Amino acid sequence: MLNRRSVLLTSLAAGVAMSTRAHARASQPATPVNFDVPPHACDCHTHIHGDVEKFPFFAGRVYTPEPASPEEMAALHKALHIERVVIVTPSVYGTDNSSTLFGMKARGANARGVAVIDDKTTEGQLDTMQQEGFRGIRINLATGGISDPDVGRARFTAAAERMKARAWHVQLYTTLPMISAIKDLVLASPVPAVFDHFGGLEASLGLEQPGFADLVALVKSGKAYVKISGAYRSSKLAPDYQDMVPYARALITANADRIVWGTDWPHPDSSHVEGRKATDIAPLYQIDDGRLLNQLPVWAPDADVRRKILVDNPARLYGF
């Protein structure tokens, strides 16, 4: 009996551990927010990874993330005092935006979406997306390791041309060298460009690193927005990423009307890991988003500027 009881207890403990892990894949804030977050604040960069049975991943993906549900996202934003959200389709779904829409429906009028499309996406489908709350399309060059300027220029040109009739923006996840390569196109674009995650800069390379001046110039011109999001992707100085302060302040000083903030929750790890196949589970980064949000007053000490970043700019860009 004792042996059987021991086996039973061990099995129960393992089951509890697995259940706990199943409900704790995506990080939740550990640090309380230490400043007054204004009403209608928006987290402008998140993803939803729905049930894989309902929302299967794209066969050509380069990584496989753990699940991240609308319920977990709601808990995150409750803790952060964030009302609005922008959900972005990640590369793992290809051009299938249904998981993003699933997340948007869970948040109702407080959600907007950024879609991934291709040449097969019809104008009728885009019209439907408009009604559903999508307000832009994303070009993800970084995750696939695309660095050819000709590819970047062609894809941005085609996207901007297609979006001008509906006044959506073109969001890009890329690097500073690519931003330099398309700078002239962005300045001439009929729609805004939005650069993810500080434009892909590397904090260790300093303010004079090639391309950062071009990013600042685009923000100053008003033709481009920058998401001051995913600081951990540019910096290795966790948990406060102090080396990001001069970059954030330089961008905000250039044009506070063209800066938005985001968590990048649930913090997917799309990096290349030796021996890890694309179909292997890539654990989500465990980031303390409360501590991350608390860096915003360091980057933008003025409450009126923070209101622009958290409320006014997202309302303009995403049509809240």
Side-chain angles (χ1 to χ4, degrees):
M1 285 292 292
L2 287 176
N3 286 340
R4 288 183 62 189
R5 183 172 184 273
S6 297
V7 170
L8 177 61
L9 289 174
T10 300
S11 298
L12 286 172
V16 169
M18 289 178 66
S19 176
T20 301
R21 178 59 182 152
H23 292 286
R25 289 188 175 104
S27 62
Q28 290 292 326
T31 303
V33 179
N34 63 10
F35 69 99
D36 290 332
V37 177
H40 311 308
C42 184
D43 179 351
C44 292
H45 197 101
T46 66
H47 308 289
I48 290 292
H49 306 148
D51 181 346
V52 71
E53 295 293 325
K54 297 178 181 178
F55 305 103
F57 295 127
F58 166 52
R61 67 191 181 279
V62 299
Y63 73 104
T64 299
E66 295 177 293
S69 71
E71 292 78 13
E72 290 174 294
M73 182 185 284
L76 165 87
H77 289 140
K78 182 178 181 180
L80 296 180
H81 312 295
I82 297 285
E83 178 182 331
R84 294 170 172 168
V85 65
V86 177
I87 305 174
V88 180
T89 298
S91 65
V92 294
Y93 289 113
T95 59
D96 182 355
N97 298 287
S98 56
S99 185
T100 295
L101 181 60
F102 169 65
M104 292 164 63
K105 287 182 175 178
R107 290 292 279 268
N110 286 326
R112 296 290 184 270
V114 177
V116 176
I117 69 170
D118 60 17
D119 293 341
K120 297 177 183 177
T121 307
T122 68
E123 291 303 311
Q125 289 172 320
L126 290 175
D127 290 340
T128 299
M129 290 180 189
Q130 175 95 28
Q131 295 167 3
E132 292 167 338
F134 287 91
R135 293 295 180 267
I137 61 170
R138 189 190 200 199
I139 300 173
N140 187 336
L141 302 175
T143 300
I146 297 173
S147 58
D148 184 343
D150 290 338
V151 173
R153 289 178 65 85
R155 291 186 63 180
F156 179 79
T157 298
E161 181 65 23
R162 188 145 194 215
M163 290 302 103
K164 69 179 182 181
R166 59 190 71 248
W168 286 14
H169 63 271
V170 177
Q171 177 177 319
L172 298 102
Y173 183 24
T174 188
T175 60
L176 290 179
M178 184 66 79
I179 292 172
S180 293
I182 66 171
K183 179 183 176 182
D184 61 315
L185 300 178
V186 175
L187 288 171
S189 173
V191 298
V194 179
F195 293 110
D196 290 351
H197 310 325
F198 287 89
L201 65 85
E202 294 184 45
S204 62
L205 299 182
L207 289 168
E208 302 303 316
Q209 64 186 282
F212 186 66
D214 288 330
L215 179 63
V216 170
L218 287 171
V219 170
K220 190 172 184 177
S221 76
K223 297 293 292 187
Y225 288 76
V226 173
K227 295 186 180 186
I228 50 174
S229 58
Y232 58 93
R233 298 190 181 280
S234 295
S235 168
K236 294 181 174 63
L237 299 183
D240 293 324
Y241 314 104
Q242 293 177 337
D243 52 351
M244 296 302 293
V245 174
Y247 298 103
R249 289 183 175 173
L251 290 165
I252 292 167
T253 298
N255 190 348
D257 292 329
R258 292 297 181 269
I259 307 298
V260 294
W261 178 89
T263 56
D264 189 32
W265 186 92
H267 313 296
D269 176 11
S270 60
S271 63
H272 173 73
V273 175
E274 191 69 32
R276 187 171 75 191
K277 301 190 295 291
T279 52
D280 292 339
I281 296 295
L284 299 168
Y285 290 122
Q286 295 300 302
I287 302 293
D288 181 353
D289 286 304
R291 193 156 183 163
L292 203 61
L293 180 54
N294 287 343
Q295 300 314 303
L296 186 57
V298 178
W299 299 343
D302 186 281
D304 288 337
V305 172
R306 292 199 298 274
R307 180 179 294 278
K308 286 185 176 186
I309 294 169
L310 290 172
V311 182
D312 300 339
N313 299 344
R316 180 193 322 114
L317 182 61
Y318 299 103
F320 282 107

